[in-house]
Amino acid sequence: MSKTKYDRQLRIWGEVGQAALENASICLLNCGPTGSEALKNLVLGGIGSITVVDGSKVEIGDLGNNFMVDAKSVGESKAKSVCAFLQELNDAVKANFVEENPDSLIVTDPSFFSQFTLVIATQLVEDSMVKLDRICREANVMLVFARSYGLTGLVRVSVKEHTIIDSKPDHFLDDLRLNNPWPELKRFVETIDLNTPDPIAHKHIPYVVILVKMADEWAKTHSNNLPSTREEKREFKDLVKSKMVSMDEDNYKEAVEATFKVFAPRGISKEIQEIIHDRSAEVDSNSSAFWVMVAALKEFISNEGDGEAPLEGSMPDMTSSTEHYINLQKIYQTKAEADFLSMEQRVKDILVKLGLDPSSISKQTIKSFCKNARKLKVCRYRTIEDEFSNPSVTELHKCLASEDYSSAIGFYILLRAVDRFAATYNKFPGHFDGGDIEEDASLLRTTALGLISEMGCDGYELPEALCSEMCRFGAAELHVVAAFVGGIASQEAIKLITKQFVPMLGTYVFNGIDHNSQLLTL
């Protein structure tokens, strides 16, 4: 791993994430502008190996929308030309190409895809999408669909199950346990006097100590309950303020601002409860490391954790004397280490019980799991076939009736309708030399209305202007849209490979006319 070359991205997903990228093997189906742009981002990011599948030759028209080919490439294999260009961007990436039509390969050699970590399938029609999705799910290969069509496009992730330890949420409450302190923290807090006559000492009491003391004082007079109503929360803030002896005490100002951390409910979130009670948490010898650790977490919460997940062990910066801050740090780190050791033992015990190697899950993995135990995510995706044949009628009605979602759902339906149009008329609407675009728009609208009816949404009309726009696009891939859609696809691929951040749950639809995007969960 080149720490200098990948320095900036290492700061985002770390060495573990980068190692996952460098060990990954990616297959790209169709290397037009959308696919080439998606793969370019992954090659620059240091992906391990790429295989480009495309049976077409470079044409003059490709020079206007694909920066991965040049005039010298005209008439040559597009897969070979794009592959060579991408390898120039990062010679550490192993690059291969297959000169074959992806639609044919899906039918004739489905086992071909089992060798890859992830497949990015671009510009596939509906029938091929359904077949490829089935193949990749059977082989446990992650799949990302991407398509750009004129000024619109979509991206859709499809995997059976994707588990995430480090979900990196934008906003998350510090794990300080101010509302549920453990014995060692309580004992430390009791050694500090909030009523000290020394003004310097008073100004340097950490807000953790102030709030734990105040919460304890409040609970004693409120049946062991913490503030819950708006009025109680206001009273609690006033109680904290009343302990200030001068207006320049930053530690008390921090305490007032952090009172919401006391109000947070004790124990684990509803989302983590659902994960530990998931059917997959009943583990067997075929269970993944994630679910083995979830099973251990469930045991931990019921026993040593006393209803809580393992402590993260980190502390935010705060106004404090050096002595108090270091002592607090040690208390949090000691508790986190003890929780980790308990979890590690439970993981080993479960592995032994399942007849597996007790050291098969590394200490580093268990430690990361403990640190992120409150932020776990499990994503499950419907099959493409299920979404197409049995979409959520409730969601469809909501989107079709919503002004905010009407364009997105309109483009989603029309992107499916153009495939049906092409299957019927052997061409995409508007894709011809001289002819009646209005006739194609009328035929496309009829096709789309038939599709809406099949989806269980009779009575809804698609704007004629939207149908006309789809015909005006003529199935063209505009580079600016392809670059954007390809960028989204590569972003989702990185989330899947590194198992960091949360991939999109649904179909992402880009609307280049109105400059907006929507996520449809159908």
Side-chain angles (χ1 to χ4, degrees), residues 156-316:
R156 165 71 147 82
V157 171
S158 187
V159 292
K160 275 186 198 173
E161 177 183 276
H162 182 64
T163 55
I164 311 156
I165 293 174
D166 191 1
S167 61
K168 299 189 188 300
D170 291 334
H171 306 286
F172 212 80
L173 202 61
D174 297 319
D175 191 15
L176 297 176
R177 305 283 166 91
L178 304 181
N179 55 2
N180 194 13
W182 61 99
E184 291 79 8
L185 179 58
K186 281 182 180 178
R187 282 197 290 272
F188 173 74
V189 167
E190 285 165 4
T191 65
I192 299 173
D193 183 10
L194 293 189
N195 299 315
T196 176
D198 183 348
I200 301 299
H202 199 265
K203 283 181 182 179
H204 290 87
I205 300 171
Y207 79 73
V208 167
V209 173
I210 296 168
L211 289 176
V212 169
K213 275 187 173 289
M214 291 292 93
D216 184 55
E217 186 179 320
W218 175 279
K220 284 175 181 174
T221 57
H222 291 81
S223 306
N224 205 33
N225 293 318
L226 292 174
S228 57
T229 66
R230 182 180 292 182
E231 184 60 29
E232 285 178 340
K233 290 174 183 178
R234 187 187 59 76
E235 284 179 29
F236 183 79
K237 280 189 177 184
D238 290 341
L239 180 65
V240 175
K241 286 177 186 175
S242 72
K243 299 295 179 180
M244 293 178 73
V245 296
S246 66
M247 294 305 295
D248 64 342
E249 293 186 314
D250 290 337
N251 58 331
Y252 275 88
K253 290 176 184 175
E254 289 171 3
V256 171
E257 288 175 3
T259 51
F260 70 92
K261 296 177 183 179
V262 175
F263 310 148
R266 291 170 176 155
I268 58 174
S269 68
K270 184 182 177 185
E271 192 168 7
I272 299 303
Q273 285 179 28
E274 288 174 357
I275 290 174
I276 65 174
H277 291 108
D278 191 278
R279 63 184 184 277
S280 297
E282 302 296 328
V283 293
D284 57 34
S285 58
N286 296 315
S287 295
S288 67
F290 177 88
W291 287 111
V292 169
M293 290 187 288
V294 167
L297 176 64
K298 185 177 182 179
E299 290 181 4
F300 176 92
I301 291 168
S302 301
N303 295 282
E304 307 96 311
D306 193 24
E308 297 276 6
L311 188 75
E312 287 180 27
S314 57
M315 268 179 50

Side-chain angles (χ1 to χ4, degrees), residues 4 6 20 59 111 152 181 238 249 321 349 435 458 474:
T4 305
Y6 302 123
E59 299 176 0
S111 62
T152 187
D238 290 341
E249 293 186 314
S321 67
D349 290 345
D458 284 313

